[in-house]
Amino acid sequence: MIRLRNISKTYHRGGQTIKAVSNVSLDINDGEIFGVIGFSGAGKSTLVRNINLLERPDEGGVVEVNGQDLTKLSARELRKTRSTIGMIFQQFNLMPSRTVIENVIYPLAGKGLSRKEQENKAIALLQKVDLAQRAHAYPSELSGGQKQRVAIARALATNPKILLCDEATSALDPTTTHEILELIKKLNEELHLTIVVITHEMAVVKDICHRVAVMEHGRVVELGDTFSVFANPKEEVTRNFVKAASNLSKADLLAKLPPEQLGMKPGEKLVRLSYLDKTVSEPLISSVSQKFSIIMNILFADVELVTGSPIGGTCGIFSGEKQNIENALQWLRDKNVKVEVLLNA
Amino acid sequence: MLDILNAIIPNVVSKPDELWVSIWQTIYMMVVAGSIAFAMGMFFGIVLIVTKQGGILENRIVFGILDRLINIFRSIPFVILLAALIPFSRIIVGTAIGTTGAMVPLVVGTVPFFSRQVESALSSVDKGLVEAATSMGSSPLGIIFRVYLKESIPHLVRVTQITAISLIGLTAMAGAIGGGGLGDFAIRYGHQRGQTDVTYTTVLVILIMVSLIQRGGNYIIKKTTH
C-alpha cells in the first residue's frame, strides 16, 4: 500500500517559485493498477517521483510505502527501499554502452549473486517480456517497444512489489502501446504487482487502470474507479479527456448546422445518447424503435471499453409521432442513459 | 641510406644521441605529467559534474570554488605559469629545472583544461540514465563509475586525445626552463644555431606522436561506441 499525505512540491528557479504539486493525498492499494492522468504540466510526473523520492516533497509531506515513511529513511536505507520499487520511463533510459542482458543485470550488482545466477535471472526476465533472443543486442539495435520491454525486465530484476510507469507508452505507436499495456496488465495479474501509471493518454487509462486520479495544476481534481470517472466526468479537464477520446463530441458540431442540411424534417430531433451504466448490454436502439414505433437514424456511434465495460453512446435523428418520441426519450432516461436533445427541427 | 640522410638532415645525423634523448625526455614528460594530470582532471571533472546544480551530490560551495579556481588557472598563459611556479616546484619535487622540474607546471597547466573537458564529456550522459540508476538504488559512487564514466568512455577518450596532444605542445615549451625534450632540442639547434633541418625533424617526430595518439584513441572509440 502506498500512502501519500499532503504532498506538495515547490521549485525555486531564479527568484520564481513554481508549485508543481500542491497538497495531494492519495492511497494506492496493493495489487491495483492506478492511473494518474493529466495534460502536460499538471504535475503528474513530479507526483510519481515522490513515491520513490527521486523528488523530495516539501516539508510536511508523507510518503508511506508498506507502512514505512520513506522521507525519514537514511540515504542507505532509502537506496535499499528504492530497489523494491521498479520504475520505467518514457525515454526507456537504457544504458547504451551495455547489451540488453547487461542492462537487466545492472540492478543486480551487489545483491550477493554470482555472475551465473545474475545471467540466469536476467534471461528468465527477458523470457517473461519475450525478448530472450535479443539478449546480446545493444539498445540502439532495438525498436521502441523492445526497448521498453527491456526496461520492464530491468525494473523487475530486484523483485519489486511496486512498478512506477512514467509515460511509459508515450513514445510508442498505438499497436506497440497496446502490446506494452497488455504486458503490464499480465505482470499485474501474475506477480500481483502494484502499478502506478502516469499518462496523458485516455487510451492507456481506459485499457488497464482499475482506479484513476485526474490531475490539473498540481492537484487531484477527480478520483475514483476508472469507469465511473469517465462515464460521469465532473470536472472540465476530465470531460476534455473523454471528449478527446470519443467521436461523440462531433455531434456538437452537427447541432450548429441548419436542420435542413442534416436532412431533418419538422418534428424530428437530433439526439445524443450516452451510456452511464455498466449494464448497457441490451439492444437499446432496436427496443426503443419497436416499443414506441419510432425510427432512429443513427449518424454515428462510439463505444469504448473502459476496464472491460462499454462506455460511449450513439448520436442520431429520431423521427415519429411527437408523443412517441417524448415517451421513447423518457424510457431511455429511465434506463439510465443520458439523453441530450441537441437540435429540434 | 646514411648518405641520403646526411644530405637531407646533416645536423641531425651528426648528433643522433641527442635526438634520442630528447625524444625520450618528451615521452617521459608526457607519461608522468600526463598520468598525474589525467587522474587529477578526472577527479575534478567528476566533482564538477556531481556538485553542479541538479547534480547527484549538489553542493554550491564546492562547485563555486572549484569552478573559479579552474577559470583562474586556465587564464594564465603557460609560459608565465612556468616562471611563476618555480618556487612551488622546488617545494614539491625539489628542483625547478630539468624534466623533473617541468612536471609541476605541466600538471598545473593541463589539469584545469582537462577537468573542463571531462566535465563536458560527462555532461553528455543522458540525465535520464542517472535518474534510472537512482531509481534502481544505485549509490552516488555507483552512479559515477557505472553510469557517468562507463557511459561516456568514447567521449572521455576523445577529450584525452585532445588534451594529450595539447600536452605535447606544453612539453615543447617546458624546454624553455631547461626541461629538455624535443622543443628544447629544436630551439637550441634549429633556432639558435640556424640548423633548420633539426627543426623539421622534430616537427616530423611530433607529427608521428600526434598521429599515434589519434589512432590509438580512435580505435578505442570505435570499440566502445554502440
Side-chain angles (χ1 to χ4, degrees):
Chain A
M1 166 114 148
I2 303 168
R3 276 182 72 217
L4 302 178
R5 288 292 175 274
N6 309 317
I7 302 293
S8 296
K9 179 71 192 181
T10 319
Y11 292 106
H12 303 277
R13 287 285 139 80
Q16 264 192 329
T17 55
I18 302 149
K19 199 144 194 177
V21 175
S22 69
N23 212 15
V24 169
S25 296
L26 275 181
D27 284 341
I28 298 168
N29 303 319
D30 283 342
E32 77 174 336
I33 304 183
F34 187 89
V36 179
I37 191 170
F39 291 108
S40 52
K44 51 197 191 310
S45 278
T46 310
L47 180 67
V48 76
R49 277 168 174 69
N50 274 293
I51 298 177
N52 58 0
L53 291 198
L54 284 179
E55 302 273 1
R56 251 172 208 279
D58 297 348
E59 202 61 39
V62 175
V63 180
E64 226 181 80
V65 176
N66 298 327
Q68 197 176 35
D69 185 352
L70 302 192
T71 59
K72 302 225 158 42
L73 296 180
S74 71
R76 178 186 289 267
E77 289 167 322
L78 176 61
R79 286 202 290 273
K80 217 168 154 197
T81 308
R82 268 187 186 139
S83 64
T84 66
I85 306 174
M87 187 167 188
I88 58 173
F89 304 86
Q90 176 170 7
Q91 294 309 328
F92 324 120
N93 293 346
L94 299 176
M95 315 273 173
S97 76
R98 290 174 160 86
T99 59
V100 164
I101 188 165
E102 287 170 339
N103 264 286
V104 179
I105 285 173
Y106 181 95
L108 293 174
K111 302 267 181 227
L113 295 178
S114 73
R115 180 77 197 171
K116 193 76 208 146
E117 287 169 317
Q118 292 181 344
E119 278 173 13
N120 290 344
K121 173 133 209 197
I123 290 290
L125 285 161
L126 287 170
Q127 272 159 357
K128 201 176 252 323
V129 300
D130 220 5
L131 261 184
Q133 74 283 4
R134 302 305 311 269
H136 298 287
Y138 283 93
S140 58
E141 300 164 311
L142 303 181
S143 70
Q146 290 176 322
K147 283 182 197 167
Q148 198 59 288
R149 284 168 188 275
V150 177
I152 290 172
R154 181 176 70 172
L156 297 178
T158 48
N159 302 323
K161 296 312 283 171
I162 297 169
L163 179 65
L164 308 176
C165 309
D166 181 27
E167 297 276 8
T169 58
S170 300
L172 305 174
D173 63 66
T175 319
T176 317
T177 295
H178 182 72
E179 285 168 14
I180 295 291
L181 293 179
E182 285 301 313
L183 175 62
I184 290 175
K185 209 150 89 179
K186 187 181 101 178
L187 294 171
N188 166 255
E189 285 157 10
E190 284 179 6
L191 305 173
H192 201 65
L193 272 181
T194 307
I195 298 177
V196 183
V197 173
I198 302 298
T199 185
H200 66 270
E201 294 170 306
M202 170 82 181
V204 171
V205 172
K206 79 178 173 49
D207 273 5
I208 62 167
C209 295
H210 304 128
R211 290 200 303 144
V212 63
V214 183
M215 277 192 86
E216 192 183 26
H217 305 313
R219 294 172 191 283
V220 170
V221 293
E222 246 182 287
L223 173 71
D225 75 87
T226 308
F227 187 86
S228 7
V229 167
F230 289 117
N232 232 332
K234 291 183 186 65
E235 296 290 326
E236 186 63 32
V237 55
T238 319
R239 273 196 285 269
N240 283 336
F241 275 113
V242 176
K243 265 190 193 162
S246 158
N247 271 323
L248 285 182
S249 53
K250 280 189 209 149
D252 292 321
L253 298 175
L254 291 183
K256 292 198 179 88
L257 299 172
E260 307 82 56
Q261 210 166 325
L262 292 170
M264 286 170 69
K265 294 181 195 69
E268 294 180 340
K269 287 178 192 296
L270 175 64
V271 177
R272 176 165 58 199
L273 309 173
S274 315
Y275 308 141
L276 302 180
D277 251 356
K278 291 187 182 183
T279 50
V280 190
S281 49
E282 50 179 312
L284 277 176
I285 307 295
S286 54
S287 303
V288 85
S289 313
Q290 284 167 15
K291 263 200 174 76
F292 301 95
S293 57
I294 56 165
I295 291 167
M296 185 180 179
N297 173 21
I298 296 174
L299 296 179
F300 51 82
D302 191 76
V303 177
E304 294 258 24
L305 286 177
V306 173
T307 56
S309 305
I311 187 170
T314 315
C315 182
I317 297 166
F318 277 57
S319 54
E321 292 285 326
K322 188 175 183 337
Q323 194 53 47
N324 286 349
I325 292 179
E326 286 307 324
N327 292 341
L329 295 182
Q330 191 50 50
W331 182 81
L332 285 166
R333 285 188 188 102
D334 294 342
K335 289 271 176 198
N336 209 2
V337 172
K338 186 176 165 199
V339 176
E340 293 166 283
V341 177
L342 301 172
L343 194 60
N344 286 299
Chain B
M1 182 70 185
L2 201 60
D3 295 339
I4 303 172
L5 285 181
N6 243 328
I8 316 173
I9 45 171
N11 296 309
V12 179
V13 176
S14 67
K15 41 186 168 298
D17 292 350
E18 282 199 60
L19 175 65
W20 285 120
V21 167
S22 51
I23 290 176
W24 277 116
Q25 283 173 333
T26 294
I27 292 175
Y28 173 67
M29 284 189 279
M30 285 285 298
V31 170
V32 177
S35 309
I36 298 170
F38 180 83
M40 291 175 73
M42 277 291 199
F43 177 75
F44 289 133
I46 291 166
V47 171
L48 281 175
I49 263 303
V50 298
T51 58
K52 198 178 251 201
Q53 189 177 27
I56 51 172
L57 295 169
E58 184 174 333
N59 187 323
R60 208 176 272 248
I61 297 168
V62 174
F63 179 82
I65 293 173
L66 188 56
D67 187 54
R68 284 187 184 88
L69 274 180
I70 287 175
N71 281 347
I72 291 168
F73 276 94
R74 274 195 72 182
S75 55
I76 303 174
F78 186 66
V79 188
I80 297 174
L81 207 58
L82 279 174
L85 286 177
I86 286 174
F88 186 63
S89 287
R90 287 217 178 94
I91 298 170
I92 301 284
V93 293
T95 175
I97 50 166
T99 38
T100 311
M103 291 303 176
V104 175
L106 283 176
V107 169
V108 176
T110 309
V111 167
F113 176 70
F114 189 55
S115 305
R116 281 278 179 246
Q117 297 276 334
V118 171
E119 182 194 10
S120 98
L122 298 185
S123 66
S124 71
V125 171
D126 185 353
K127 280 234 179 267
L129 299 185
V130 177
E131 192 175 42
T134 312
S135 81
M136 290 185 276
S138 282
S139 64
L141 216 55
I143 291 173
I144 289 169
F145 283 101
R146 302 179 66 208
V147 182
Y148 274 125
L149 294 181
K150 168 97 169 101
E151 293 303 326
S152 59
I153 288 174
H155 217 129
L156 286 171
V157 172
R158 203 163 291 133
V159 300
T160 305
Q161 283 178 315
I162 294 171
T163 310
I165 289 164
S166 91
L167 181 59
I168 294 184
L170 299 190
T171 62
M173 263 191 269
I177 60 158
L182 287 164
D184 182 44
F185 186 60
I187 287 174
R188 270 190 293 123
Y189 295 101
H191 178 64
Q192 289 166 354
R193 299 187 197 168
Q195 300 174 353
T196 32
D197 58 324
V198 171
T199 310
Y200 292 135
T201 309
T202 54
V203 169
L204 188 71
V205 173
I206 288 173
L207 186 71
I208 293 168
M209 287 184 174
V210 169
S211 44
L212 283 177
I213 292 171
Q214 280 289 358
R215 278 178 186 226
N218 289 352
Y219 177 78
I220 304 176
I221 290 169
K222 210 172 147 197
K223 282 277 163 197
T224 52
T225 306
H226 301 288

